[in-house]
Amino acid sequence: MPTYHIEMMEGRTVEQKRKLVEEITRVSVEVLGGSPEYVDIVITDIKRENWATGGKLWLERE
Amino acid sequence: MPTYHIEMMEGRTVEQKRKLVEEITRVSVEVLGGSPEYVDIVITDIKRENWATGGKLWLERE
Amino acid sequence: MPTYHIEMMEGRTVEQKRKLVEEITRVSVEVLGGSPEYVDIVITDIKRENWATGGKLWLERE
Amino acid sequence: MPTYHIEMMEGRTVEQKRKLVEEITRVSVEVLGGSPEYVDIVITDIKRENWATGGKLWLERE
Amino acid sequence: MPTYHIEMMEGRTVEQKRKLVEEITRVSVEVLGGSPEYVDIVITDIKRENWATGGKLWLERE
Amino acid sequence: MPTYHIEMMEGRTVEQKRKLVEEITRVSVEVLGGSPEYVDIVITDIKRENWATGGKLWLERE
């Protein structure tokens, strides 16, 4: 509370995730207040065969 | 915008997903208007041990 | 099973929703198989102050 | 209807999931009414590199 | 952690929600372990014009 | 892509949301790369009767 769910294309490194959750938490506390310990973040890695934009899977777009 | 999240039992082929996102996007634009490029679709493949109906995991139902 | 969650900007009519769920269900059964009664669809109407693209709320984009 | 989505740290056994969905369904029917067959439950197993609290991934917290 | 998202048809009382979250939390701790303070539950009340089964909005089904 | 879903207790101002989506988008592009236009953010305002921690609705916790 607040809770963030982040959907991103698979392939990001743990280092990128580590940095991202640190920054998102900092920004969240700055803007919304509260303690960092109340900020929960869940990341979902999406496979290219499971994300589509404009009617085409990303597997086929690139 | 709009965004579709589709949960389905695992095991569908890429060809089925390819066809599904094409059709969903077409239907979405027909009914809601807008450009196909604004239609995002995310598919989640659910394992049979992770979906339950009537208090029973699908792993055990079939 | 399958389950569809659709996020759309608020303001669509019940008639549009009625047509959309009918078409999505038809397409889903055609491509994935199964009975229409197993297709669940949940729509979420999003307010313009609650959706952002490119760092800007849609309230401010248009 | 109702539908439950449960996010839990990965590593739980099928036996725990089996027990959990049985109990959640029983409780749901007791409190909200309806038939067990209308209770759907989807579990998501989250990896420790994909859940953060207080700005730190659980991979690093323990 | 764990986190429960519950979608239910609108119209349930606060008393039903109060009872439901108490029971879900108790069951969760019994089966998965951990402390009750780590169990988060978010309820979403769905309008009958926003839920469809079998291609028909619940607004029209009953 | 990426897409952020943020659940927060209701009562935040449009100005706070405006600032939050600006900052989240900036941080996202810095850490994950890509263009700001591909960052989508959806906020859900949760009522105190719909969020529980430790088995108690927030309506009753404070």
Side-chain angles (χ1 to χ4, degrees):
Chain A
M1 193 192 33
T3 303
Y4 294 76
H5 283 84
I6 312 177
E7 295 168 310
M8 52 174 73
M9 210 60 95
E10 63 173 358
R12 266 61 183 248
T13 64
V14 173
E15 182 53 27
Q16 281 179 302
K17 293 177 181 178
R18 196 192 60 70
K19 184 69 178 164
L20 186 64
V21 299
E22 187 183 305
E23 290 293 306
I24 296 285
T25 302
R26 188 181 52 71
V27 160
S28 183
V29 169
E30 264 174 39
V31 178
L32 303 178
S35 154
E37 277 303 310
Y38 287 115
V39 180
D40 265 288
I41 303 176
V42 178
I43 296 170
T44 310
D45 302 301
I46 312 288
K47 293 197 283 184
R48 300 182 100 70
E49 72 175 67
N50 281 343
W51 201 317
T53 304
K56 259 195 156 45
L57 301 174
W58 282 86
L59 190 72
E60 301 177 301
R61 284 176 70 103
E62 293 171 326
Chain B
M1 193 190 33
T3 303
Y4 293 76
H5 283 85
I6 312 176
E7 295 169 309
M8 53 174 73
M9 210 60 96
E10 64 173 357
R12 266 60 182 249
T13 64
V14 172
E15 182 52 28
Q16 280 178 303
K17 294 177 182 178
R18 196 192 60 70
K19 184 68 180 165
L20 186 64
V21 300
E22 186 184 306
E23 290 294 305
I24 297 285
T25 302
R26 188 181 53 70
V27 160
S28 182
V29 169
E30 264 175 39
V31 179
L32 303 178
S35 154
E37 278 303 309
Y38 287 115
V39 180
D40 266 288
I41 303 176
V42 177
I43 296 170
T44 308
D45 302 302
I46 312 287
K47 293 198 283 185
R48 301 182 99 71
E49 73 175 67
N50 282 342
W51 200 318
T53 304
K56 260 197 155 47
L57 300 174
W58 281 86
L59 190 72
E60 302 177 300
R61 285 177 70 102
E62 295 170 324
Chain C
M1 194 189 33
T3 303
Y4 293 77
H5 283 85
I6 312 177
E7 294 168 311
M8 52 173 74
M9 210 61 94
E10 64 173 356
R12 266 62 182 247
T13 64
V14 172
E15 182 53 28
Q16 282 178 302
K17 293 177 181 178
R18 195 192 61 69
K19 184 68 178 164
L20 186 64
V21 300
E22 187 183 305
E23 290 293 306
I24 296 285
T25 303
R26 189 181 52 72
V27 160
S28 182
V29 169
E30 264 174 40
V31 178
L32 303 178
S35 154
E37 277 303 308
Y38 286 115
V39 180
D40 266 287
I41 303 176
V42 177
I43 296 170
T44 309
D45 302 301
I46 311 287
K47 293 197 283 186
R48 301 181 99 70
E49 73 174 67
N50 281 343
W51 200 317
T53 305
K56 260 196 155 46
L57 300 174
W58 281 86
L59 191 71
E60 302 178 301
R61 284 176 70 103
E62 295 170 326
Chain D
M1 194 191 29
T3 303
Y4 294 76
H5 283 84
I6 312 177
E7 295 168 310
M8 53 173 72
M9 210 61 95
E10 64 173 357
R12 266 60 182 247
T13 64
V14 172
E15 182 54 28
Q16 282 178 302
K17 294 177 181 178
R18 195 193 61 70
K19 183 69 178 164
L20 185 64
V21 300
E22 187 182 305
E23 290 294 305
I24 296 285
T25 302
R26 188 181 52 72
V27 160
S28 182
V29 169
E30 264 174 40
V31 178
L32 303 178
S35 155
E37 277 304 308
Y38 288 115
V39 180
D40 266 287
I41 303 175
V42 177
I43 296 170
T44 310
D45 303 302
I46 311 287
K47 292 197 284 184
R48 300 181 99 69
E49 72 175 68
N50 281 342
W51 200 318
T53 305
K56 261 195 155 45
L57 300 175
W58 281 87
L59 190 71
E60 301 178 301
R61 285 176 71 103
E62 295 170 325
Chain E
M1 194 187 34
T3 303
Y4 293 76
H5 283 83
I6 311 177
E7 295 168 310
M8 53 175 72
M9 210 60 96
E10 64 174 358
R12 266 62 181 246
T13 64
V14 172
E15 182 54 27
Q16 282 177 302
K17 293 177 181 178
R18 196 192 59 70
K19 184 68 179 166
L20 186 63
V21 300
E22 187 183 304
E23 290 294 305
I24 297 285
T25 302
R26 188 181 54 70
V27 160
S28 182
V29 169
E30 265 175 39
V31 179
L32 302 178
S35 154
E37 277 303 309
Y38 287 115
V39 180
D40 266 286
I41 303 175
V42 177
I43 296 170
T44 309
D45 302 302
I46 311 287
K47 293 198 284 186
R48 302 182 98 71
E49 71 175 67
N50 281 341
W51 200 317
T53 305
K56 259 196 155 46
L57 300 174
W58 281 86
L59 190 72
E60 301 178 300
R61 285 176 70 102
E62 294 170 327
Chain F
M1 193 190 35
T3 303
Y4 294 76
H5 283 84
I6 311 177
E7 295 168 310
M8 53 174 72
M9 211 61 95
E10 65 173 357
R12 266 61 181 249
T13 64
V14 172
E15 182 53 28
Q16 281 178 301
K17 293 177 180 177
R18 196 193 59 71
K19 183 68 178 164
L20 186 64
V21 300
E22 188 184 304
E23 290 293 306
I24 296 285
T25 303
R26 188 181 54 71
V27 159
S28 182
V29 169
E30 264 175 41
V31 179
L32 303 178
S35 154
E37 276 303 308
Y38 287 114
V39 180
D40 265 287
I41 303 176
V42 177
I43 295 169
T44 309
D45 302 302
I46 311 288
K47 292 198 283 185
R48 300 183 99 70
E49 73 175 66
N50 281 342
W51 200 318
T53 305
K56 259 195 155 47
L57 300 174
W58 281 86
L59 190 71
E60 302 178 301
R61 284 176 70 103
E62 293 169 325

